Amino acid sequence: MRTAFAASARATTAQGGRWSGTGRSALALVLGGLPVFAFPTPDLWWWAYVCLVPLLLLIRTAPTARRAGYDGWCGGTGFMLAVHHWLLPSLNVFLVVLAVLFGLLWLPWGRLVRALLGGTPPPWRAGAALVLIPSGWLMIELVRSWQGLGGPWGLLGASQWEVPAALRLASVGGVWLLSGLVVAVNTALALLVAASSRVRRSARSRHAALAGLAGLLGCVLLLGLAPWAVPAPRTTGKVVRIGVVQAGLLGGAVGAARRFDRGEELTRTLAGQRLDLVVWGESSVGADLRTRPDLAARVAALSREVGADVLVNVDAHRSDRPGIYKSAVLVGPEGPTGQRYDKMRLVPFGEYIPLRPLLGWATSVGKAAEVNRRRGTAPVVMTLPPGATGSPGLRIGPLICFETAFPDMSRHLADMGAQVIVAQSATSTFQDSWAPAQHASLGALRAAETGRPMVHATLTGISAAYTPDGRRTGPVLGTDRSATAVYTLPLSDTRTGYDRLGPWPVYAAGLALLVAGAVGAAGRFRTPGRGPRAPRTRTARGSAGRPGH
């Protein structure tokens, strides 16, 4: 593998030196998209640890800092396009515009990569690269995770959702720690490859290789020891049984009525299965239950029949306030219990258009929201009546669709006392893409981060459930299913490190960059490739001047 990487490094270096302008930008664009294969559906989790190496090698060969910034910009654009490619049918050309704008976040990162990896870095610069390049990447992920800028879809650490050791680390530092680790491994490999690609190795290149090897071994050791060093969440000995109803892809003019009918039909099959809760997917009810008492009565009858409350999801105008809301509504044997959660973080362009007077034209080029949904104002923890498994007062924390991408939301629900995180989702618009699998995989991270079991119930698939340590359990309902599933999940009262400390890797990364900036301002960082200035030529008489004068 080392030989292959060395060949890749020589090829990338040669291309970097030979190409300029458009050609180099096109290469960076392609290389930036390579990480997409680490996410579901390809799910090549190991690919995450090597996929950034070609881009790092290209950027380090940039002839100037400005060119390195452009390389980073193009690489970031390629990353955003690849990770969000499934949005293309909905946003069309607007997706390209957004990717180019978000790609700007990688411009300073590109300059940072060149400053640390360019030329033959001395040991101190190679060591700094192992910390600062991952830190810069984390800052990018933090900025683009702001809901107003689209939210944290495609965080690099999310690709590790099915790696047990990585999930243990997620319980310590969340998905942020995993992203930092993945980029650190890529940086260490880039150092090794760059050093091994040199025909004549100097002492400095050997030192850089040793720094890369030390960083790589450190990361491997961290992953290897995680299952033993980080204990799994402690279970209480109690379990909860939750039934999921996945109606299937039902659209058309009467889609809402058909979804409801199918959900009702499937729910009846759960009778007698000793459940604590039944969960329907997002947009499973198309009318406010206050204005449709007939629908409320039908759900209440289902609750009596199965012996458990039913958590439905209403996508409709509210009768008590203006606007359309997406809401998780708990219905018991007597009807709606009054416990309701309105979705707080909406999907940009899918559920609302930011700055609609300025960007409203997006509706003419894609499937952007015709009408803005309204936001909820606060998270909610719902309390269930004693269930069939004998778990009195079970507390659930509902999330709706896109909100499962936000680590802080599930953490906040756990802090509020939620014992189970319940997500209601619908990815019916993107059925034939990688989006449903990527969306479902996020439940593993949210469970591992909080130490709380999580159920991901969808309208059209993929529905799944996860134990408190993030392991997927029970049946998986794919996008081709219209069915039910019952999950028996252990409860845990453990507070994880991430739950206690929050996104501390982000804070540490920000501090590292601030310290590096202060050192750089003091002149410690020099542009790679610039050696010491040669002494001025002197004449035979010892005076400064041109030779021969």
Short mmCIF file of all heavy atoms in Angstrom, two decimals, residues 58 75 79 114 147 169 193 200 207 229 239 261 277 321 335 345 349 361 365 367 370 378 414 457 472 480 502 524-525:
data_model
loop_
_atom_site.label_atom_id
_atom_site.label_comp_id
_atom_site.label_asym_id
_atom_site.label_seq_id
_atom_site.Cartn_x
_atom_site.Cartn_y
_atom_site.Cartn_z
N LEU A 58 -2.27 17.32 -3.33
CA LEU A 58 -2.38 18.33 -4.37
C LEU A 58 -2.18 19.72 -3.79
O LEU A 58 -1.42 20.54 -4.33
CB LEU A 58 -3.76 18.24 -5.04
CG LEU A 58 -4.05 19.33 -6.08
CD1 LEU A 58 -3.17 19.14 -7.31
CD2 LEU A 58 -5.52 19.35 -6.45
N GLY A 75 -11.89 21.98 -3.82
CA GLY A 75 -12.07 20.71 -3.13
C GLY A 75 -13.31 20.71 -2.25
O GLY A 75 -14.07 19.74 -2.21
N PHE A 79 -16.66 18.43 -2.48
CA PHE A 79 -17.17 17.69 -1.33
C PHE A 79 -18.66 17.96 -1.12
O PHE A 79 -19.46 17.02 -0.95
CB PHE A 79 -16.39 18.09 -0.07
CG PHE A 79 -16.87 17.41 1.19
CD1 PHE A 79 -16.40 16.16 1.54
CD2 PHE A 79 -17.80 18.03 2.03
CE1 PHE A 79 -16.84 15.53 2.70
CE2 PHE A 79 -18.25 17.42 3.17
CZ PHE A 79 -17.77 16.16 3.51
N ARG A 114 -1.18 24.04 2.91
CA ARG A 114 0.08 24.34 2.25
C ARG A 114 1.13 24.86 3.23
O ARG A 114 2.31 24.51 3.15
CB ARG A 114 -0.13 25.36 1.14
CG ARG A 114 1.16 25.74 0.40
CD ARG A 114 0.91 26.79 -0.66
NE ARG A 114 2.15 27.12 -1.36
CZ ARG A 114 3.03 28.03 -0.95
NH1 ARG A 114 2.79 28.71 0.17
NH2 ARG A 114 4.13 28.27 -1.64
N GLN A 147 -27.89 25.83 11.47
CA GLN A 147 -29.11 25.51 10.73
C GLN A 147 -29.40 26.52 9.63
O GLN A 147 -29.88 26.17 8.54
CB GLN A 147 -30.30 25.42 11.69
CG GLN A 147 -31.53 24.76 11.10
CD GLN A 147 -32.45 25.75 10.42
OE1 GLN A 147 -32.48 26.92 10.81
NE2 GLN A 147 -33.21 25.31 9.44
N LEU A 169 -15.87 6.12 20.99
CA LEU A 169 -15.26 7.45 21.01
C LEU A 169 -16.32 8.53 20.85
O LEU A 169 -16.18 9.63 21.41
CB LEU A 169 -14.23 7.56 19.89
CG LEU A 169 -12.96 6.71 20.05
CD1 LEU A 169 -12.04 6.92 18.87
CD2 LEU A 169 -12.24 7.06 21.35
N VAL A 193 3.35 9.67 2.74
CA VAL A 193 3.43 9.52 1.29
C VAL A 193 4.34 10.59 0.68
O VAL A 193 5.15 10.30 -0.21
CB VAL A 193 2.02 9.59 0.67
CG1 VAL A 193 2.09 9.59 -0.84
CG2 VAL A 193 1.17 8.42 1.16
N ARG A 200 15.41 11.73 -3.39
CA ARG A 200 16.53 11.88 -2.45
C ARG A 200 15.97 12.35 -1.12
O ARG A 200 15.43 13.45 -1.00
CB ARG A 200 17.55 12.89 -2.98
CG ARG A 200 18.18 12.48 -4.30
CD ARG A 200 19.14 13.54 -4.79
NE ARG A 200 20.25 13.71 -3.83
CZ ARG A 200 21.22 14.63 -3.96
NH1 ARG A 200 21.21 15.44 -5.00
NH2 ARG A 200 22.17 14.72 -3.06
N HIS A 207 12.38 12.98 9.13
CA HIS A 207 11.70 13.44 10.35
C HIS A 207 10.21 13.64 10.10
O HIS A 207 9.38 13.32 10.96
CB HIS A 207 12.33 14.75 10.83
CG HIS A 207 13.72 14.58 11.35
ND1 HIS A 207 14.65 15.60 11.35
CD2 HIS A 207 14.35 13.50 11.87
CE1 HIS A 207 15.78 15.16 11.86
NE2 HIS A 207 15.62 13.90 12.18
N ALA A 229 -11.09 1.02 26.92
CA ALA A 229 -10.90 2.21 27.75
C ALA A 229 -12.20 2.95 28.03
O ALA A 229 -12.33 3.61 29.06
CB ALA A 229 -9.90 3.16 27.09
N VAL A 239 -36.54 -2.67 29.94
CA VAL A 239 -36.61 -2.55 28.49
C VAL A 239 -37.89 -1.83 28.11
O VAL A 239 -38.84 -1.72 28.91
CB VAL A 239 -36.57 -3.92 27.78
CG1 VAL A 239 -35.26 -4.64 28.07
CG2 VAL A 239 -37.76 -4.78 28.20
N ASP A 261 -54.91 5.84 6.05
CA ASP A 261 -55.60 4.55 5.98
C ASP A 261 -54.62 3.39 6.10
O ASP A 261 -54.88 2.41 6.80
CB ASP A 261 -56.38 4.43 4.67
CG ASP A 261 -57.56 5.39 4.59
OD1 ASP A 261 -57.97 5.91 5.64
OD2 ASP A 261 -58.06 5.62 3.47
N LEU A 277 -45.32 1.94 23.12
CA LEU A 277 -45.55 3.07 22.23
C LEU A 277 -45.59 2.58 20.79
O LEU A 277 -44.89 1.64 20.43
CB LEU A 277 -44.40 4.10 22.39
CG LEU A 277 -44.44 5.34 21.50
CD1 LEU A 277 -45.61 6.25 21.88
CD2 LEU A 277 -43.11 6.10 21.58
N ARG A 321 -53.16 28.78 15.64
CA ARG A 321 -52.20 29.80 15.24
C ARG A 321 -51.99 29.73 13.73
O ARG A 321 -52.24 28.69 13.13
CB ARG A 321 -50.88 29.64 15.99
CG ARG A 321 -50.17 28.34 15.73
CD ARG A 321 -48.90 28.20 16.56
NE ARG A 321 -49.18 28.11 17.98
CZ ARG A 321 -48.25 27.88 18.90
NH1 ARG A 321 -46.99 27.76 18.55
NH2 ARG A 321 -48.59 27.79 20.18
N GLY A 335 -57.88 10.05 23.19
CA GLY A 335 -57.63 11.08 22.18
C GLY A 335 -56.30 11.76 22.42
O GLY A 335 -55.47 11.30 23.22
N ARG A 345 -36.15 22.94 13.69
CA ARG A 345 -35.12 23.17 12.67
C ARG A 345 -35.61 22.61 11.34
O ARG A 345 -35.70 21.40 11.16
CB ARG A 345 -33.79 22.55 13.09
CG ARG A 345 -33.27 23.23 14.35
CD ARG A 345 -31.92 22.74 14.78
NE ARG A 345 -31.51 23.40 16.01
CZ ARG A 345 -30.42 23.11 16.71
NH1 ARG A 345 -29.60 22.17 16.26
NH2 ARG A 345 -30.14 23.75 17.83
N PHE A 349 -34.89 25.38 1.93
CA PHE A 349 -35.39 25.17 0.58
C PHE A 349 -36.39 24.01 0.50
O PHE A 349 -37.27 24.03 -0.34
CB PHE A 349 -34.26 24.97 -0.43
CG PHE A 349 -33.34 26.15 -0.52
CD1 PHE A 349 -32.16 26.17 0.19
CD2 PHE A 349 -33.69 27.26 -1.27
CE1 PHE A 349 -31.31 27.27 0.13
CE2 PHE A 349 -32.86 28.37 -1.33
CZ PHE A 349 -31.67 28.38 -0.63
N TRP A 361 -36.81 32.63 -6.31
CA TRP A 361 -36.72 32.09 -7.66
C TRP A 361 -36.32 30.62 -7.66
O TRP A 361 -36.45 29.93 -8.68
CB TRP A 361 -35.72 32.89 -8.49
CG TRP A 361 -34.33 32.92 -7.93
CD1 TRP A 361 -33.82 33.84 -7.07
CD2 TRP A 361 -33.27 32.00 -8.21
NE1 TRP A 361 -32.51 33.56 -6.77
CE2 TRP A 361 -32.14 32.42 -7.46
CE3 TRP A 361 -33.15 30.87 -8.99
CZ2 TRP A 361 -30.93 31.75 -7.48
CZ3 TRP A 361 -31.94 30.18 -9.02
CH2 TRP A 361 -30.84 30.63 -8.26
N VAL A 365 -36.78 26.58 -10.43
CA VAL A 365 -35.77 25.71 -11.01
C VAL A 365 -35.69 24.36 -10.31
O VAL A 365 -34.90 23.50 -10.67
CB VAL A 365 -34.37 26.37 -10.97
CG1 VAL A 365 -34.35 27.62 -11.81
CG2 VAL A 365 -33.94 26.66 -9.54
N LYS A 367 -37.66 21.80 -6.77
CA LYS A 367 -38.81 21.47 -5.95
C LYS A 367 -38.72 22.15 -4.58
O LYS A 367 -38.96 21.53 -3.55
CB LYS A 367 -38.92 19.96 -5.78
CG LYS A 367 -39.07 19.21 -7.10
CD LYS A 367 -39.08 17.70 -6.88
CE LYS A 367 -39.17 16.95 -8.19
NZ LYS A 367 -39.12 15.48 -8.00
N GLU A 370 -42.94 25.76 -1.67
CA GLU A 370 -43.82 26.81 -2.18
C GLU A 370 -44.27 27.75 -1.06
O GLU A 370 -44.50 28.93 -1.27
CB GLU A 370 -45.05 26.19 -2.86
CG GLU A 370 -44.72 25.37 -4.11
CD GLU A 370 -44.26 26.25 -5.27
OE1 GLU A 370 -44.50 27.47 -5.23
OE2 GLU A 370 -43.66 25.71 -6.21
N ALA A 378 -39.50 25.33 21.24
CA ALA A 378 -38.77 24.67 22.33
C ALA A 378 -38.84 23.16 22.18
O ALA A 378 -39.83 22.63 21.66
CB ALA A 378 -39.37 25.08 23.69
N ALA A 414 -31.66 14.45 26.11
CA ALA A 414 -31.16 13.57 27.17
C ALA A 414 -30.98 14.34 28.47
O ALA A 414 -31.30 13.84 29.56
CB ALA A 414 -29.84 12.93 26.74
N ALA A 457 -38.21 6.16 12.94
CA ALA A 457 -39.43 5.71 12.29
C ALA A 457 -39.72 6.59 11.08
O ALA A 457 -39.82 7.81 11.22
CB ALA A 457 -40.61 5.75 13.26
N ARG A 472 -27.04 -1.09 15.88
CA ARG A 472 -28.36 -1.28 15.28
C ARG A 472 -28.93 -2.62 15.75
O ARG A 472 -28.22 -3.61 15.82
CB ARG A 472 -28.27 -1.23 13.76
CG ARG A 472 -29.62 -1.16 13.08
CD ARG A 472 -29.50 -0.74 11.64
NE ARG A 472 -28.76 -1.71 10.84
CZ ARG A 472 -28.46 -1.51 9.56
NH1 ARG A 472 -28.81 -0.39 8.95
NH2 ARG A 472 -27.78 -2.43 8.88
N ASP A 480 -38.50 -0.30 0.19
CA ASP A 480 -39.45 -1.10 -0.58
C ASP A 480 -40.51 -1.75 0.29
O ASP A 480 -41.29 -2.58 -0.19
CB ASP A 480 -38.70 -2.19 -1.36
CG ASP A 480 -37.93 -3.12 -0.43
OD1 ASP A 480 -37.68 -2.73 0.73
OD2 ASP A 480 -37.57 -4.23 -0.88
N GLY A 502 -20.24 18.15 26.25
CA GLY A 502 -20.62 18.77 24.99
C GLY A 502 -19.54 18.63 23.93
O GLY A 502 -18.66 17.76 24.03
N ARG A 524 6.56 32.74 13.49
CA ARG A 524 7.10 31.37 13.57
C ARG A 524 6.84 30.60 12.28
O ARG A 524 7.63 29.77 11.87
CB ARG A 524 6.42 30.64 14.74
CG ARG A 524 6.96 29.24 14.99
CD ARG A 524 8.38 29.32 15.51
NE ARG A 524 8.90 28.01 15.83
CZ ARG A 524 9.56 27.23 14.97
NH1 ARG A 524 9.76 27.65 13.75
NH2 ARG A 524 10.03 26.07 15.33
N PHE A 525 5.70 30.88 11.63
CA PHE A 525 5.37 30.18 10.39
C PHE A 525 5.98 30.92 9.22
O PHE A 525 5.82 32.13 9.09
CB PHE A 525 3.85 30.08 10.19
CG PHE A 525 3.20 29.08 11.10
CD1 PHE A 525 2.94 29.40 12.42
CD2 PHE A 525 2.84 27.83 10.63
CE1 PHE A 525 2.33 28.49 13.26
CE2 PHE A 525 2.23 26.92 11.47
CZ PHE A 525 1.98 27.25 12.79
#
